[in-house]
Amino acid sequence: MDAYDTGSNARRGPDEPSGSAEAAGGAGAGAVDPRPDADDPRPEAAGTGSGAVGSPGTLDPPAAGARPRTGVAALSPRYQIGAALALAVVAVAACAHIALTFLHVAPANTVTKKHGAVIDEWIYPEFEQNWKLFAPNPLQQNISVQVRAEVSTADGGIRTTGWYDLSAEDGRAIDGNPLPSHTQQNELRRAWDFFVATHDSDHRPVGLRGALSETYLRRIAVLRLERNDAAGPGEVVERVQFRSRTTNVPPPEWSGEQVSDRPVHRVVPWWTVPAGETEGGAA
């Protein structure tokens, strides 16, 4: 049989697609060429593809549904504007606080000399900074703060208590305690430092902060005296008096430094205790 026969039983060449002879020969005028490279406007004609990624015959999956909005984007425009304004106010306040704190702890400069009062009003008393821990010359003294009281007795008399060593009480509470409270460590010490820094050598307050330091220290005294049962049943604490006992820490033997080992006392005048403080107002 001739290789060019077009019959149904004719042999096919190696390059001819399988199928009937009529399809191979394009018998009809409207016949569609089954070859992969034939022009066809349909997407399927671009290639049957086996489903491999990137193959011309692979169809894109349907688009996933839009994800719901969350956070600020889920709010209505009105509330979005409100949230943006709130964030802006918080950011401005935070920046202003950081700037004022920096000026407070920074060395004296033109800004602090001109606006020192404004800086102090913002910092004190809530945001006060104390850098003694990082000072190149640490404290070399032991300061013991003590208090005593005048108590009116039930029969109308007045008696004076002995001295209560408040610093020693805090020391005993801290000794052996792996997690001492901030109150035990710093309340009395910081209150006394506050008092000394705002009073002159004659114990007179300097400015409004001096009066504030007296009030703070007096309330601590009332609470501590109540804890120690300084006033018995029917008795009232009328006045309190503070004193400090300062001793130098002995220097190491190799330093050759000589310091006095004699204690120095500072006695503060009597302060009258308002009635509200003795009735629990100090809390």
Side-chain angles (χ1 to χ4, degrees), residues 56-76:
T58 303
L59 296 178
D60 294 334
R67 297 179 60 184
R69 296 184 299 175
T70 59
V72 178
L75 301 175
S76 63

Side-chain angles (χ1 to χ4, degrees), residues 176-212:
N177 186 355
L179 297 173
S181 70
H182 177 75
T183 301
Q184 294 168 341
Q185 297 180 80
N186 297 315
E187 181 186 58
L188 180 64
R189 179 181 63 84
R190 298 290 293 117
W192 183 255
D193 288 346
F194 186 24
F195 170 80
V196 172
T198 55
H199 285 71
D200 58 21
S201 58
D202 295 326
H203 312 294
R204 293 175 299 191
V206 180
L208 295 177
R209 297 184 64 241
L212 178 63

Side-chain angles (χ1 to χ4, degrees), residues 38-273:
D39 294 333
D40 192 331
R42 296 177 299 170
E44 293 81 0
T48 57
S50 62
V53 177
S55 62
T58 303
L59 296 178
D60 294 334
R67 297 179 60 184
R69 296 184 299 175
T70 59
V72 178
L75 301 175
S76 63
R78 179 189 306 176
Y79 290 103
Q80 288 183 0
I81 295 174
L85 291 176
L87 291 175
V89 171
V90 172
V92 171
C95 292
H97 174 71
I98 293 174
L100 291 172
T101 303
F102 171 78
L103 291 173
H104 173 68
V105 301
N109 53 70
T110 305
V111 178
T112 55
K113 291 178 181 178
K114 185 176 181 179
H115 303 288
V118 176
I119 297 173
D120 289 345
E121 288 180 0
W122 176 262
I123 294 297
Y124 293 108
E126 289 82 4
F127 307 116
E128 181 181 2
Q129 304 293 316
N130 188 331
W131 300 99
K132 288 184 178 180
L133 178 62
F134 307 101
N137 186 22
L139 294 176
Q140 299 179 353
Q141 296 176 327
N142 289 322
I143 302 176
S144 177
V145 180
Q146 304 170 354
V147 68
R148 65 178 179 176
E150 281 188 354
V151 180
S152 61
T153 61
D155 57 2
I158 296 291
R159 67 177 179 87
T160 302
T161 67
W163 289 101
Y164 292 89
D165 195 335
L166 305 184
S167 297
E169 293 177 0
D170 287 345
R172 288 192 294 269
I174 294 172
D175 189 21
N177 186 355
L179 297 173
S181 70
H182 177 75
T183 301
Q184 294 168 341
Q185 297 180 80
N186 297 315
E187 181 186 58
L188 180 64
R189 179 181 63 84
R190 298 290 293 117
W192 183 255
D193 288 346
F194 186 24
F195 170 80
V196 172
T198 55
H199 285 71
D200 58 21
S201 58
D202 295 326
H203 312 294
R204 293 175 299 191
V206 180
L208 295 177
R209 297 184 64 241
L212 178 63
S213 69
E214 289 185 8
T215 302
Y216 183 43
L217 197 59
R218 187 180 64 244
R219 290 184 176 182
I220 292 176
V222 172
L223 290 175
R224 297 294 185 92
L225 290 170
E226 181 180 356
R227 184 186 307 169
N228 286 283
D229 297 324
E235 298 181 339
V236 178
V237 175
E238 299 289 346
R239 297 198 302 172
V240 296
Q241 185 180 34
F242 277 93
R243 76 174 181 183
S244 65
R245 183 176 185 272
T246 303
T247 55
N248 293 317
V249 176
E253 297 180 357
W254 50 263
S255 68
E257 183 180 359
Q258 299 294 327
V259 296
S260 174
D261 57 356
R262 297 182 58 185
V264 177
H265 292 86
R266 176 173 180 171
V267 182
V268 180
W270 287 94
W271 293 338
T272 301
V273 179

